[in-house]
Amino acid sequence: MNIRVRAYQPADLPALSRICLATALHGDDGTSAFADPRLPGLVYAEPYARLEPGLVWVAEDADGVCGYVLGAADTLAFTRRCEAGWWPPLRCQYPAPPADDPSADAALRRQLHDCTPPTFDFLPRFPAHLHINLLPRSQRTGAGTQLIATFLAALRAQGVPGVHLGVSARNPGAQAFYARQGFATLQAPVWGTWMGRALPAAEEAAGLRPST
């Protein structure tokens, strides 16, 4: 299969949302889990495309966009930007749900109402974070490895020291994939695992100076 990785374009936004929904259930299709199919993309894809489009890349084949990687170079700064401009209008559109609502929609609505900044101990060493999602037709094709490599190269060029991500305990295939990409466990809460990868400086990675 011929798949190419390219920079995000604004016309790709609907594809990001569709792929986010199609992988929203621990890596599987979440279409049947959400009453509002827009919610996964509004939480996990669109804010990056809107606020940090320079760190979004897509994988594309003959049938169109089939995967993406996106994220933020500085998690705390990105959190502040979302709090300033992304979450407030969504909170008006999606009121906080009742505490006893167990639905998938309610879980994401609670997340967009949560204004608590992350306090992970590992953030100083791994300040960036990423999300990567691939449709089934692009999995096991090397597209994921290309997307990760492209994203990490951009972080290195910015001098970012490390990157982290979260992966569900119900998605062991993703955990194995990230381990092959050089990510290691940072924390293991009940729901899954926080994994991280340290990044050498761009000149180090290019062999221009020795690692210290």
Side-chain angles (χ1 to χ4, degrees):
M1 181 181 294
N2 186 20
I3 296 179
R4 71 182 183 112
V5 170
R6 62 167 174 80
Y8 166 79
Q9 300 170 3
D12 298 322
L13 186 61
L16 297 190
S17 294
R18 288 195 300 269
I19 293 170
C20 193
L21 176 64
T23 56
L25 199 60
H26 310 286
D28 293 327
D29 190 351
T31 301
S32 63
F34 291 92
D36 188 332
R38 300 171 297 173
L39 271 170
L42 288 172
V43 173
Y44 290 118
E46 289 195 35
Y48 300 92
R50 302 287 191 184
L51 302 179
E52 199 143 8
L55 284 178
V56 184
W57 287 269
V58 300
E60 186 176 49
D61 62 12
D63 294 321
V65 175
C66 52
Y68 63 77
V69 65
L70 45 76
D74 184 328
T75 295
L76 290 176
F78 184 76
T79 299
R80 290 191 292 269
R81 292 173 68 194
C82 286
E83 188 61 34
W86 183 254
W87 300 130
L90 288 178
R91 288 170 183 155
C92 295
Q93 185 177 355
Y94 294 98
D100 60 352
D101 186 341
S103 68
D105 291 65
L108 290 189
R109 285 165 59 191
R110 290 187 191 101
Q111 189 164 331
L112 65 86
H113 278 269
D114 182 4
C115 59
T116 306
T119 57
F120 307 121
D121 292 340
F122 56 74
L123 273 181
R125 293 174 296 134
F126 305 94
H129 73 270
L130 68 84
H131 300 281
I132 179 172
N133 286 302
L134 298 165
L135 294 178
R137 72 175 192 263
S138 62
Q139 295 172 7
R140 293 175 292 278
T141 65
T145 297
Q146 292 182 59
L147 287 167
I148 290 281
T150 302
F151 189 88
L152 298 187
L155 293 183
R156 288 191 188 97
Q158 295 185 37
V160 177
V163 58
H164 71 273
L165 55 84
V167 57
S168 169
R170 294 170 61 180
N171 195 349
Q175 292 186 32
F177 167 75
Y178 295 130
R180 292 194 297 271
Q181 305 304 314
F183 287 78
T185 297
L186 300 174
Q187 291 181 12
V190 173
W191 57 263
T193 306
W194 289 110
M195 303 180 75
R197 175 172 166 170
L199 302 173
E203 58 268 32
E204 249 180 57
L208 300 181
R209 66 177 174 85
S211 176
T212 56

